[in-house]
Amino acid sequence: MSDLPERISLREVGPRDGLQNEAPVPTTSKVALIDALSRTGVGRIEAVSFVHPKAIPSMADAAEVWAAVAKSSEVRYSALVPNLRGAQRALAAGFKEIEVVVSASDTHNLKNVNRTTEQSLDDIAELLATAHAAGATCQVIVSTAFGCPYEGDVPVERVLAVAGRALADGADGLSYGDTTGMATPSRVTALVGETRMRFPVADLNLHFHNTRGTGLANVLAALQLGVTDYDASVGGLGGCPYAPGATGNVCTEDLVHMVEDMGVDTGVDLEAMLEAAREAERLVGRTLPSQVLRAGPRTKLTPL
Ligand code: ZN
């Protein structure tokens, strides 16, 4: 394992990807969760999304949430946006880091934002220029990168074409989203390997859902290829309202627990993240899929 990266950067997406797919929680609860996460040592938090309130009512209070968050100078906060209008709202709220999402498959993109992938990429070119003019950076997330629930497998070439267009238009970083948990380690190796060859200097983030239990295995496959940037969700919160059967993201504390024991530094204090996971369970009022939260860290001793 000596060839694994010494450290990785985690972006905590529970407040956004997680809460977006839960029964609505009050604004104060969202703020409390983000504030708890800000105390865990995690370097980045995707705090809110600026989507149309009719599309995702649970995110209608994004600007209010952001205004009330106790911003830590140790954390980079970002917002997810579906389109230019969302980007304008995020920039007006003061975000300097945004993510915009486009699906690699037309059917998923049409379902999601009522545009073809090509139409969304045209919009994103304008959005990137707008973000840059405002002094902000923007990462382009290519979702359904490992498969589409409506079209099945998405060819690697298709994903690379979408990624290449985004980078050519000025994307500051690239993320591959496994929206519906269709990735496996071999597919991660294939797509990441080709991406590295085609776009060797592009910043690459990976966003896995644990829908079919392959989340941490996918992270390990990508670690072995040197990928140092991952999304994860406290407690394993998460899903996607447009992806039938999608369940939570890779769980942050489970990921931290695994990779830290392999000598990979995440900057995250596991105990503080477990406390944030307990807070997340209280907020949503249900047991979350986190396994380390249930069992405790591997070195926890059982009384005789
Ligand atoms: Zn997701």
Side-chain angles (χ1 to χ4, degrees), residues 90-261:
L91 294 169
F95 280 95
K96 289 292 173 197
E97 209 169 315
I98 56 178
E99 289 97 39
V100 64
V101 62
V102 58
S103 301
S105 61
D106 275 320
T107 315
H108 192 266
N109 207 63
L110 283 162
K111 277 279 222 191
N112 208 351
V113 290
N114 203 26
R115 312 273 283 154
T116 65
T117 301
E118 195 66 31
Q119 286 171 330
S120 275
L121 285 167
D122 291 342
D123 297 343
I124 286 170
E126 190 187 346
L127 187 158
L128 288 166
T130 303
H132 293 159
T137 61
C138 181
Q139 178 188 70
V140 175
I141 301 172
V142 182
S143 71
T144 64
F146 299 93
C148 168
Y150 311 108
E151 296 183 16
D153 285 332
V154 176
V156 166
E157 275 305 320
R158 165 78 177 178
V159 180
L160 292 176
V162 175
R165 166 80 197 275
L167 290 169
D169 287 338
D172 297 287
L174 194 61
S175 174
Y176 288 150
D178 185 25
T179 321
T180 52
M182 292 169 73
T184 63
S186 60
R187 291 181 183 279
V188 171
T189 302
L191 180 58
V192 170
E194 283 297 319
T195 301
R196 281 275 185 259
M197 292 217 281
R198 200 76 64 89
F199 314 114
V201 298
D203 282 338
L204 179 65
N205 163 282
L206 295 174
H207 175 106
F208 295 120
H209 282 248
N210 198 36
T211 317
R212 294 175 176 85
T214 58
L216 286 182
N218 294 334
V219 169
L220 181 56
L223 276 175
Q224 288 168 335
L225 294 172
V227 176
T228 58
D229 185 356
Y230 299 90
D231 282 358
S233 162
V234 63
L237 276 168
C240 175
Y242 302 105
T247 51
N249 296 85
V250 165
C251 169
T252 311
E253 56 271 24
D254 290 357
L255 194 166
V256 168
H257 179 263
M258 181 182 84
V259 304
E260 292 269 353
D261 190 59

